[in-house]
Amino acid sequence: MAQVLEFKLPDLGEGLTEAEIVRWLVEVGDVVAIDQPVVEVETAKAMVEVPCPYGGVVTARFGEEGSELPVGAPLLTVAVGASASDGPAGTPGGQPGGASSIGSGTDSGPAGRASAASGNGSAEGSGNVLVGYGTSAPPERRRRVRRPAVTPAATAGTAGTPAATFAADAPVVETSRGEGPVPVISPLVRRLARENGLDLRDLTGSGPEGLILRADVEYALKAAAAQGRVAQPSAGPHPHVAEAAANAAPAVARVRSSATQGGVRVPLKGVRGAVADKLSRSRREIPDATCWVDADATELMRSRAAMNAAGGTKISLLALLARICTAALARFPELNSTVDLDNREIVRLEQVHLGFAAQTERGLVVPVVRDAQARDAEGLTAEFARLTEAGRAGTLTPAELTGGTFTLNNYGVFGVDGSTPIINHPEAAMLGVGRIIPKPWVHEGELAVRQVVQLSLTFDHRVCDGGTAGGFLRYVADCVEQPAVLLRTL
Protein backbone atom coordinates (compact mmCIF):
# COMPACT_ATOMS: atom_id res chain seq x y z
CA MET A 1 0.00 0.00 0.00
CA ALA A 2 1.35 3.39 -0.93
CA GLN A 3 2.40 5.72 1.85
CA VAL A 4 2.25 9.45 1.18
CA LEU A 5 5.20 11.38 2.63
CA GLU A 6 5.50 15.13 2.83
CA PHE A 7 8.82 16.76 1.91
CA LYS A 8 9.28 20.19 3.44
CA LEU A 9 11.65 22.97 2.39
CA PRO A 10 14.82 22.03 4.30
CA ASP A 11 17.05 24.27 6.35
CA LEU A 12 19.32 25.79 3.71
CA GLY A 13 21.97 26.80 6.23
CA GLU A 14 23.75 30.13 6.77
CA GLY A 15 20.77 31.52 8.70
CA LEU A 16 18.47 31.50 5.67
CA THR A 17 14.78 31.39 6.56
CA GLU A 18 13.02 31.42 3.18
CA ALA A 19 13.52 30.75 -0.50
CA GLU A 20 11.81 31.68 -3.76
CA ILE A 21 10.69 28.95 -6.14
CA VAL A 22 12.40 29.62 -9.46
CA ARG A 23 11.56 26.48 -11.43
CA TRP A 24 9.91 23.17 -10.72
CA LEU A 25 11.90 20.22 -12.07
CA VAL A 26 9.11 17.64 -11.67
CA GLU A 27 5.39 17.48 -12.38
CA VAL A 28 2.58 15.83 -10.45
CA GLY A 29 2.54 12.16 -11.43
CA ASP A 30 6.28 11.99 -12.17
CA VAL A 31 8.33 9.20 -10.61
CA VAL A 32 11.30 10.56 -8.70
CA ALA A 33 14.36 8.76 -7.38
CA ILE A 34 15.90 9.26 -3.97
CA ASP A 35 17.95 12.47 -3.86
CA GLN A 36 16.70 13.58 -7.29
CA PRO A 37 16.53 17.41 -7.59
CA VAL A 38 12.86 18.40 -7.66
CA VAL A 39 12.90 22.19 -7.51
CA GLU A 40 15.26 25.08 -8.16
CA VAL A 41 15.06 27.81 -5.52
CA GLU A 42 16.72 31.16 -5.08
CA THR A 43 17.75 32.19 -1.59
CA ALA A 44 19.27 35.40 -0.34
CA LYS A 45 22.66 33.79 -0.98
CA ALA A 46 22.48 31.79 -4.20
CA MET A 47 20.38 29.70 -6.56
CA VAL A 48 20.35 26.00 -5.64
CA GLU A 49 18.61 22.76 -6.57
CA VAL A 50 16.83 20.97 -3.73
CA PRO A 51 16.88 17.15 -3.81
CA CYS A 52 14.03 15.07 -2.41
CA PRO A 53 15.09 12.42 0.13
CA TYR A 54 12.21 10.12 -0.88
CA GLY A 55 11.59 8.06 -3.98
CA GLY A 56 8.17 7.45 -5.44
CA VAL A 57 5.35 9.23 -7.29
CA VAL A 58 4.86 12.98 -6.91
CA THR A 59 1.28 13.51 -5.74
CA ALA A 60 1.22 17.25 -5.03
CA ARG A 61 3.32 20.41 -5.29
CA PHE A 62 2.99 23.44 -3.05
CA GLY A 63 3.77 26.91 -4.30
CA GLU A 64 3.96 28.44 -7.74
CA GLU A 65 7.10 29.51 -9.52
CA GLY A 66 7.96 32.99 -8.25
CA SER A 67 6.39 32.49 -4.82
CA GLU A 68 8.35 32.41 -1.56
CA LEU A 69 8.29 29.61 0.97
CA PRO A 70 9.57 29.69 4.54
CA VAL A 71 11.88 26.96 5.76
CA GLY A 72 9.71 24.08 7.00
CA ALA A 73 6.82 24.69 4.61
CA PRO A 74 5.72 21.71 2.46
CA LEU A 75 7.31 21.52 -0.99
CA LEU A 76 5.66 18.39 -2.33
CA THR A 77 4.22 15.02 -1.34
CA VAL A 78 5.51 11.68 -2.60
CA ALA A 79 3.66 8.37 -2.62
CA VAL A 80 6.22 5.73 -1.69
CA GLY A 81 5.37 2.19 -2.75
CA ALA A 82 3.05 3.16 -5.62
CA SER A 83 3.57 3.15 -9.37
CA ALA A 84 2.99 6.15 -11.58
CA SER A 85 -0.21 4.51 -12.88
CA ASP A 86 -1.69 4.42 -9.37
CA GLY A 87 -2.43 8.13 -9.54
CA PRO A 88 -1.56 10.74 -6.99
CA ALA A 89 -2.04 9.88 -3.33
CA GLY A 90 -3.66 6.54 -4.02
CA THR A 91 -6.55 7.98 -6.02
CA PRO A 92 -8.36 5.82 -8.60
CA GLY A 93 -5.97 4.53 -11.17
CA GLY A 94 -4.50 1.81 -8.97
CA GLN A 95 -5.70 -0.52 -6.24
CA PRO A 96 -4.61 0.51 -2.74
CA GLY A 97 -2.56 -2.18 -1.18
CA GLY A 98 -2.20 -4.03 -4.45
CA ALA A 99 1.11 -5.12 -5.94
CA SER A 100 2.90 -2.70 -8.19
CA SER A 101 6.19 -2.60 -10.02
CA ILE A 102 7.58 -0.46 -7.22
CA GLY A 103 6.11 -2.32 -4.30
CA SER A 104 7.25 -5.70 -5.66
CA GLY A 105 10.81 -4.50 -5.97
CA THR A 106 11.12 -5.91 -9.49
CA ASP A 107 11.76 -2.51 -11.02
CA SER A 108 15.43 -1.61 -11.07
CA GLY A 109 14.75 2.00 -12.09
CA PRO A 110 14.31 5.01 -9.85
CA ALA A 111 10.96 3.79 -8.60
CA GLY A 112 12.47 0.46 -7.69
CA ARG A 113 15.20 2.16 -5.75
CA ALA A 114 12.53 4.15 -3.95
CA SER A 115 10.85 0.93 -2.89
CA ALA A 116 14.14 -0.54 -1.75
CA ALA A 117 14.70 2.49 0.38
CA SER A 118 11.29 2.09 1.97
CA GLY A 119 12.06 -1.39 3.22
CA ASN A 120 9.14 -3.45 4.51
CA GLY A 121 6.56 -0.78 4.12
CA SER A 122 8.40 1.74 6.26
CA ALA A 123 8.94 4.90 4.36
CA GLU A 124 12.56 5.93 4.74
CA GLY A 125 14.56 8.35 2.67
CA SER A 126 18.20 9.20 2.33
CA GLY A 127 17.95 11.91 4.97
CA ASN A 128 19.57 14.38 2.59
CA VAL A 129 18.28 17.91 2.89
CA LEU A 130 20.56 19.85 0.53
CA VAL A 131 23.67 18.99 -1.42
CA GLY A 132 26.71 20.13 0.53
CA TYR A 133 25.00 20.14 3.95
CA GLY A 134 25.41 16.50 4.91
CA THR A 135 22.81 13.88 5.69
CA SER A 136 20.92 12.74 8.72
CA ALA A 137 18.49 9.87 8.98
CA PRO A 138 14.93 10.83 9.89
CA PRO A 139 13.87 10.03 13.45
CA GLU A 140 12.17 6.68 14.03
CA ARG A 141 9.08 8.36 15.39
CA ARG A 142 7.88 11.76 14.38
CA ARG A 143 4.62 13.60 14.59
CA ARG A 144 3.01 13.90 11.20
CA VAL A 145 0.10 16.11 10.26
CA ARG A 146 -2.23 14.04 8.15
CA ARG A 147 -3.58 15.85 5.13
CA PRO A 148 -6.41 14.83 2.84
CA ALA A 149 -5.47 13.04 -0.34
CA VAL A 150 -4.58 15.44 -3.13
CA THR A 151 -5.76 14.76 -6.66
CA PRO A 152 -4.33 16.30 -9.81
CA ALA A 153 -7.41 18.52 -10.04
CA ALA A 154 -6.92 19.67 -6.47
CA THR A 155 -3.26 20.24 -7.17
CA ALA A 156 -4.14 22.64 -9.98
CA GLY A 157 -6.08 24.66 -7.46
CA THR A 158 -3.27 24.40 -4.95
CA ALA A 159 -0.82 25.94 -7.40
CA GLY A 160 -2.71 29.19 -7.19
CA THR A 161 -2.79 29.18 -3.39
CA PRO A 162 -0.24 31.39 -1.63
CA ALA A 163 2.72 29.42 -0.35
CA ALA A 164 2.18 30.95 3.05
CA THR A 165 -0.93 28.88 3.63
CA PHE A 166 1.18 25.78 4.06
CA ALA A 167 3.65 27.18 6.61
CA ALA A 168 4.71 24.36 8.91
CA ASP A 169 3.85 24.46 12.59
CA ALA A 170 1.93 27.72 12.15
CA PRO A 171 -1.62 27.21 13.41
CA VAL A 172 -4.34 28.44 11.11
CA VAL A 173 -6.51 31.16 12.61
CA GLU A 174 -9.99 29.66 12.67
CA THR A 175 -12.89 32.05 12.39
CA SER A 176 -16.53 31.81 11.53
CA ARG A 177 -16.28 34.22 8.61
CA GLY A 178 -15.08 31.77 6.00
CA GLU A 179 -13.36 28.52 5.33
CA GLY A 180 -9.78 27.61 4.48
CA PRO A 181 -6.48 28.86 5.85
CA VAL A 182 -5.49 32.50 6.15
CA PRO A 183 -2.58 33.59 3.89
CA VAL A 184 -0.13 34.43 6.68
CA ILE A 185 3.46 33.18 7.05
CA SER A 186 4.80 34.96 10.09
CA PRO A 187 3.77 33.70 13.55
CA LEU A 188 4.42 37.26 14.75
CA VAL A 189 1.68 38.56 12.49
CA ARG A 190 -0.74 35.96 13.82
CA ARG A 191 0.14 36.77 17.42
CA LEU A 192 -0.23 40.51 16.85
CA ALA A 193 -3.68 39.97 15.38
CA ARG A 194 -4.67 37.48 18.07
CA GLU A 195 -3.59 39.72 20.98
CA ASN A 196 -5.69 42.55 19.57
CA GLY A 197 -8.67 40.39 18.68
CA LEU A 198 -8.26 41.24 15.00
CA ASP A 199 -9.81 38.88 12.46
CA LEU A 200 -7.26 38.33 9.70
CA ARG A 201 -9.99 37.35 7.26
CA ASP A 202 -11.14 40.97 7.20
CA LEU A 203 -7.82 42.14 5.78
CA THR A 204 -6.54 42.23 2.23
CA GLY A 205 -2.87 41.32 2.13
CA SER A 206 -0.45 43.61 0.34
CA GLY A 207 2.18 40.89 -0.08
CA PRO A 208 2.67 38.54 -3.02
CA GLU A 209 -0.59 36.78 -3.97
CA GLY A 210 -2.48 38.48 -1.15
CA LEU A 211 -0.08 37.50 1.62
CA ILE A 212 -0.94 39.34 4.85
CA LEU A 213 2.09 41.17 6.23
CA ARG A 214 2.72 42.74 9.60
CA ALA A 215 2.25 46.17 8.01
CA ASP A 216 -1.30 45.17 7.00
CA VAL A 217 -2.20 44.31 10.60
CA GLU A 218 -0.62 47.52 11.90
CA TYR A 219 -2.52 49.55 9.28
CA ALA A 220 -5.78 47.99 10.46
CA LEU A 221 -5.02 48.68 14.12
CA LYS A 222 -3.97 52.26 13.46
CA ALA A 223 -6.99 52.94 11.29
CA ALA A 224 -9.34 51.52 13.91
CA ALA A 225 -7.53 53.41 16.67
CA ALA A 226 -7.97 56.63 14.72
CA GLN A 227 -11.70 56.06 14.89
CA GLY A 228 -11.49 55.48 18.64
CA ARG A 229 -12.57 51.86 18.48
CA VAL A 230 -9.39 49.93 19.31
CA ALA A 231 -7.86 49.64 22.78
CA GLN A 232 -4.13 49.31 23.40
CA PRO A 233 -2.54 45.85 22.86
CA SER A 234 -2.56 43.58 25.87
CA ALA A 235 -1.87 39.95 26.72
CA GLY A 236 -5.50 38.93 26.21
CA PRO A 237 -7.96 39.25 23.31
CA HIS A 238 -10.43 42.10 23.05
CA PRO A 239 -13.85 40.79 22.04
CA HIS A 240 -15.01 43.96 20.27
CA VAL A 241 -11.85 44.74 18.29
CA ALA A 242 -12.60 42.33 15.44
CA GLU A 243 -15.77 44.23 14.60
CA ALA A 244 -13.92 47.55 14.80
CA ALA A 245 -11.15 46.27 12.55
CA ALA A 246 -13.71 45.06 10.03
CA ASN A 247 -15.32 48.49 9.99
CA ALA A 248 -11.87 50.04 9.61
CA ALA A 249 -11.06 47.99 6.49
CA PRO A 250 -12.05 50.80 4.09
CA ALA A 251 -9.77 53.18 6.00
CA VAL A 252 -6.96 50.66 5.69
CA ALA A 253 -7.51 50.48 1.95
CA ARG A 254 -7.41 54.28 1.71
CA VAL A 255 -4.15 54.48 3.65
CA ARG A 256 -2.51 51.83 1.51
CA SER A 257 -3.79 53.42 -1.69
CA SER A 258 -2.41 56.85 -0.77
CA ALA A 259 0.91 55.32 0.18
CA THR A 260 1.32 53.73 -3.23
CA GLN A 261 0.16 56.62 -5.38
CA GLY A 262 2.80 57.84 -7.81
CA GLY A 263 5.17 54.94 -7.22
CA VAL A 264 5.79 51.25 -7.73
CA ARG A 265 6.44 48.87 -4.84
CA VAL A 266 9.41 46.55 -5.32
CA PRO A 267 9.66 43.75 -2.75
CA LEU A 268 12.95 43.58 -0.84
CA LYS A 269 13.63 39.89 -1.23
CA GLY A 270 16.27 37.54 -2.54
CA VAL A 271 19.71 39.06 -3.01
CA ARG A 272 18.39 42.62 -2.80
CA GLY A 273 16.69 41.91 0.50
CA ALA A 274 19.76 40.19 1.94
CA VAL A 275 21.97 43.13 0.94
CA ALA A 276 19.54 45.58 2.55
CA ASP A 277 19.45 43.62 5.80
CA LYS A 278 23.21 43.24 5.99
CA LEU A 279 23.99 46.86 5.20
CA SER A 280 21.42 48.07 7.70
CA ARG A 281 22.91 45.87 10.39
CA SER A 282 26.40 47.10 9.54
CA ARG A 283 25.32 50.71 9.94
CA ARG A 284 23.60 49.97 13.24
CA GLU A 285 26.42 47.99 14.86
CA ILE A 286 29.73 49.18 13.39
CA PRO A 287 31.18 52.63 14.17
CA ASP A 288 33.02 52.98 10.88
CA ALA A 289 35.45 55.61 9.66
CA THR A 290 37.08 56.18 6.27
CA CYS A 291 40.48 57.43 5.19
CA TRP A 292 41.77 57.77 1.64
CA VAL A 293 44.84 58.63 -0.38
CA ASP A 294 45.76 59.20 -4.03
CA ALA A 295 48.49 56.94 -5.41
CA ASP A 296 50.55 56.85 -8.58
CA ALA A 297 49.74 53.47 -10.14
CA THR A 298 51.96 53.93 -13.21
CA GLU A 299 54.62 51.44 -12.07
CA LEU A 300 52.01 48.89 -11.04
CA MET A 301 50.44 49.04 -14.48
CA ARG A 302 53.86 48.68 -16.11
CA SER A 303 54.68 45.68 -13.93
CA ARG A 304 51.44 43.99 -14.86
CA ALA A 305 52.04 44.62 -18.57
CA ALA A 306 55.54 43.14 -18.28
CA MET A 307 54.23 40.04 -16.47
CA ASN A 308 51.57 39.43 -19.12
CA ALA A 309 54.02 40.04 -21.96
CA ALA A 310 56.20 37.22 -20.64
CA GLY A 311 53.55 34.67 -21.58
CA GLY A 312 51.55 32.26 -19.46
CA THR A 313 48.45 33.13 -17.48
CA LYS A 314 47.32 36.71 -17.82
CA ILE A 315 47.40 38.39 -14.43
CA SER A 316 44.44 40.58 -13.56
CA LEU A 317 44.81 43.92 -11.85
CA LEU A 318 42.41 42.73 -9.15
CA ALA A 319 44.73 39.82 -8.39
CA LEU A 320 47.69 42.17 -7.91
CA LEU A 321 45.65 44.40 -5.61
CA ALA A 322 44.53 41.32 -3.68
CA ARG A 323 48.16 40.24 -3.31
CA ILE A 324 48.96 43.67 -1.91
CA CYS A 325 46.01 43.42 0.50
CA THR A 326 47.11 40.09 1.95
CA ALA A 327 50.64 41.42 2.46
CA ALA A 328 49.25 44.52 4.19
CA LEU A 329 47.01 42.43 6.44
CA ALA A 330 50.02 40.39 7.51
CA ARG A 331 51.61 43.64 8.75
CA PHE A 332 48.36 45.02 10.24
CA PRO A 333 46.41 41.97 11.48
CA GLU A 334 43.99 44.16 13.46
CA LEU A 335 42.06 44.75 10.23
CA ASN A 336 41.59 41.03 9.59
CA SER A 337 39.34 40.52 12.58
CA THR A 338 35.79 40.58 13.86
CA VAL A 339 34.11 41.82 17.03
CA ASP A 340 32.42 39.37 19.41
CA LEU A 341 29.80 41.57 21.08
CA ASP A 342 28.57 38.85 23.44
CA ASN A 343 31.99 38.45 25.06
CA ARG A 344 33.25 41.97 24.29
CA GLU A 345 36.29 40.61 22.48
CA ILE A 346 38.14 41.34 19.25
CA VAL A 347 38.86 38.10 17.40
CA ARG A 348 41.92 38.32 15.15
CA LEU A 349 41.77 35.77 12.37
CA GLU A 350 44.72 33.84 10.95
CA GLN A 351 43.44 33.09 7.46
CA VAL A 352 42.48 35.81 5.01
CA HIS A 353 39.23 34.92 3.29
CA LEU A 354 39.07 37.76 0.80
CA GLY A 355 35.69 38.90 -0.43
CA PHE A 356 35.36 40.98 -3.58
CA ALA A 357 32.34 42.89 -4.83
CA ALA A 358 30.91 41.66 -8.13
CA GLN A 359 27.95 43.22 -9.93
CA THR A 360 25.62 40.70 -11.58
CA GLU A 361 22.15 40.73 -13.13
CA ARG A 362 20.82 39.46 -9.78
CA GLY A 363 22.44 42.36 -7.95
CA LEU A 364 25.61 42.92 -5.98
CA VAL A 365 27.22 39.76 -4.64
CA VAL A 366 30.42 39.31 -2.65
CA PRO A 367 32.09 35.95 -3.42
CA VAL A 368 34.89 34.89 -1.08
CA VAL A 369 38.35 33.63 -2.05
CA ARG A 370 39.37 31.18 0.66
CA ASP A 371 42.91 31.36 2.07
CA ALA A 372 43.86 34.24 -0.20
CA GLN A 373 47.11 34.72 1.74
CA ALA A 374 48.35 31.34 0.43
CA ARG A 375 47.66 32.05 -3.26
CA ASP A 376 49.97 33.67 -5.77
CA ALA A 377 48.90 36.15 -8.46
CA GLU A 378 48.07 33.41 -10.95
CA GLY A 379 46.01 31.47 -8.43
CA LEU A 380 44.13 34.58 -7.40
CA THR A 381 43.41 35.47 -11.03
CA ALA A 382 41.96 32.02 -11.71
CA GLU A 383 39.82 32.04 -8.56
CA PHE A 384 38.50 35.54 -9.24
CA ALA A 385 37.52 34.49 -12.75
CA ARG A 386 35.79 31.31 -11.56
CA LEU A 387 33.77 33.02 -8.84
CA THR A 388 32.82 35.94 -11.08
CA GLU A 389 31.50 33.60 -13.76
CA ALA A 390 29.56 31.61 -11.16
CA GLY A 391 28.11 34.85 -9.80
CA ARG A 392 26.88 35.91 -13.23
CA ALA A 393 25.39 32.46 -13.83
CA GLY A 394 23.70 32.49 -10.41
CA THR A 395 25.39 29.25 -9.33
CA LEU A 396 27.38 30.49 -6.34
CA THR A 397 26.82 28.33 -3.28
CA PRO A 398 26.12 29.77 0.18
CA ALA A 399 29.59 28.65 1.27
CA GLU A 400 31.14 30.73 -1.53
CA LEU A 401 29.24 33.83 -0.42
CA THR A 402 29.93 33.74 3.31
CA GLY A 403 32.83 33.60 5.73
CA GLY A 404 34.82 36.58 4.41
CA THR A 405 37.27 38.35 6.72
CA PHE A 406 38.19 41.34 4.53
CA THR A 407 36.66 42.81 1.36
CA LEU A 408 38.28 44.35 -1.70
CA ASN A 409 35.88 46.64 -3.58
CA ASN A 410 36.94 47.73 -7.04
CA TYR A 411 34.31 50.38 -7.70
CA GLY A 412 36.55 51.94 -10.33
CA VAL A 413 34.87 49.67 -12.89
CA PHE A 414 31.81 51.94 -12.57
CA GLY A 415 33.86 54.94 -13.65
CA VAL A 416 34.03 56.64 -10.24
CA ASP A 417 37.07 57.91 -8.37
CA GLY A 418 36.11 57.42 -4.73
CA SER A 419 33.59 56.03 -2.32
CA THR A 420 32.91 55.49 1.38
CA PRO A 421 31.63 51.90 1.31
CA ILE A 422 29.69 50.21 4.08
CA ILE A 423 31.63 47.43 5.79
CA ASN A 424 30.50 43.91 4.98
CA HIS A 425 29.30 42.80 8.42
CA PRO A 426 30.83 41.15 10.49
CA GLU A 427 34.17 42.07 8.90
CA ALA A 428 36.29 44.93 10.24
CA ALA A 429 37.44 46.72 7.08
CA MET A 430 37.05 47.18 3.33
CA LEU A 431 39.54 48.55 0.82
CA GLY A 432 38.04 50.54 -2.04
CA VAL A 433 39.81 51.14 -5.35
CA GLY A 434 38.71 53.86 -7.75
CA ARG A 435 39.34 54.16 -11.46
CA ILE A 436 42.91 54.52 -12.71
CA ILE A 437 43.12 57.52 -15.04
CA PRO A 438 45.84 59.83 -16.40
CA LYS A 439 46.31 62.91 -14.21
CA PRO A 440 48.93 65.60 -13.76
CA TRP A 441 51.31 64.44 -11.03
CA VAL A 442 54.60 65.65 -9.63
CA HIS A 443 57.05 62.85 -10.39
CA GLU A 444 60.74 63.14 -9.43
CA GLY A 445 60.36 66.89 -8.99
CA GLU A 446 58.68 67.50 -12.33
CA LEU A 447 55.09 67.74 -13.46
CA ALA A 448 54.12 64.72 -15.53
CA VAL A 449 51.07 62.79 -16.64
CA ARG A 450 50.77 59.65 -14.50
CA GLN A 451 48.21 56.90 -13.94
CA VAL A 452 46.57 57.91 -10.65
CA VAL A 453 44.15 55.95 -8.47
CA GLN A 454 42.31 56.88 -5.29
CA LEU A 455 42.40 54.28 -2.50
CA SER A 456 39.98 54.36 0.45
CA LEU A 457 39.83 52.29 3.60
CA THR A 458 36.66 52.02 5.66
CA PHE A 459 37.37 50.38 9.00
CA ASP A 460 35.69 49.47 12.26
CA HIS A 461 36.96 52.01 14.79
CA ARG A 462 36.49 49.46 17.57
CA VAL A 463 39.27 47.20 16.31
CA CYS A 464 41.90 49.88 15.73
CA ASP A 465 42.64 53.59 15.77
CA GLY A 466 43.39 55.92 12.87
CA GLY A 467 47.11 55.29 13.16
CA THR A 468 46.74 51.60 12.34
CA ALA A 469 44.28 52.26 9.54
CA GLY A 470 46.51 54.98 8.11
CA GLY A 471 49.54 52.71 8.28
CA PHE A 472 47.68 49.96 6.41
CA LEU A 473 46.49 52.32 3.69
CA ARG A 474 49.90 53.95 3.33
CA TYR A 475 51.55 50.54 2.91
CA VAL A 476 49.04 49.62 0.20
CA ALA A 477 49.69 52.92 -1.57
CA ASP A 478 53.46 52.37 -1.39
CA CYS A 479 53.09 48.93 -2.99
CA VAL A 480 50.93 50.43 -5.74
CA GLU A 481 53.48 53.17 -6.44
CA GLN A 482 56.53 50.94 -6.10
CA PRO A 483 55.73 47.22 -6.54
CA ALA A 484 59.25 46.38 -5.43
CA VAL A 485 58.15 47.27 -1.88
CA LEU A 486 55.89 44.24 -1.97
CA LEU A 487 58.70 42.00 -3.18
CA ARG A 488 60.93 43.11 -0.28
CA THR A 489 58.30 42.09 2.28
CA LEU A 490 57.54 38.64 0.89
Side-chain angles (χ1 to χ4, degrees), residues 407-430:
T407 297
L408 176 60
N409 186 4
N410 181 20
Y411 45 74
V413 296
F414 301 118
V416 298
D417 298 328
S419 174
T420 56
I422 300 176
I423 296 174
N424 190 19
H425 185 279
E427 298 170 12
M430 176 185 294

Side-chain angles (χ1 to χ4, degrees), residues 455-488:
L455 306 171
S456 64
L457 177 71
T458 299
F459 63 98
D460 186 339
H461 223 313
R462 296 172 298 179
V463 304
C464 69
D465 296 325
T468 301
F472 175 93
L473 187 58
R474 187 63 257 173
Y475 176 81
V476 171
D478 290 343
C479 291
V480 168
E481 293 183 342
Q482 300 176 11
V485 173
L486 176 62
L487 297 177
R488 288 198 300 265

Side-chain angles (χ1 to χ4, degrees), residues 21-33 35-41 47-52 58 61 63-65 75-76:
I21 296 177
V22 176
R23 181 168 61 97
W24 282 104
L25 305 179
V26 295
E27 301 288 343
V28 174
D30 287 354
V31 177
V32 296
D35 290 345
Q36 175 181 333
V38 293
V39 64
E40 189 177 69
V41 301
M47 192 175 299
V48 295
E49 292 182 345
V50 179
C52 179
V58 177
R61 301 185 320 193
E64 292 182 326
E65 294 180 355
L75 269 178
L76 48 78

Side-chain angles (χ1 to χ4, degrees), residues 336 349-353 371-373 405:
N336 191 54
L349 307 169
E350 296 181 359
Q351 286 77 28
V352 178
H353 300 319
D371 297 315
Q373 81 286 349
T405 64

Side-chain angles (χ1 to χ4, degrees), residues 167 169-173 190 194:
D169 300 326
V172 175
V173 178
R190 294 182 182 275
R194 183 172 61 252

Side-chain angles (χ1 to χ4, degrees), residues 176-240:
S176 59
R177 303 193 179 214
E179 297 181 355
V182 180
V184 179
I185 288 180
S186 173
L188 296 178
V189 174
R190 294 182 182 275
R191 185 177 67 181
L192 181 62
R194 183 172 61 252
E195 290 179 352
N196 289 277
L198 180 62
D199 191 342
L200 291 173
R201 298 182 190 278
D202 295 324
L203 302 184
T204 300
S206 61
E209 301 186 43
L211 181 64
I212 298 177
L213 308 177
R214 180 173 181 175
D216 300 324
V217 176
E218 292 176 345
Y219 276 136
L221 296 177
K222 290 179 181 179
Q227 298 180 12
R229 299 174 180 173
V230 178
Q232 293 298 320
S234 66
H238 296 263
H240 302 295

Side-chain angles (χ1 to χ4, degrees), residues 334-353:
E334 297 90 339
L335 294 170
N336 191 54
S337 62
T338 187
V339 176
D340 184 353
L341 289 177
D342 294 335
N343 298 310
R344 293 184 62 82
E345 294 176 338
I346 297 174
V347 183
R348 294 184 182 175
L349 307 169
E350 296 181 359
Q351 286 77 28
V352 178
H353 300 319

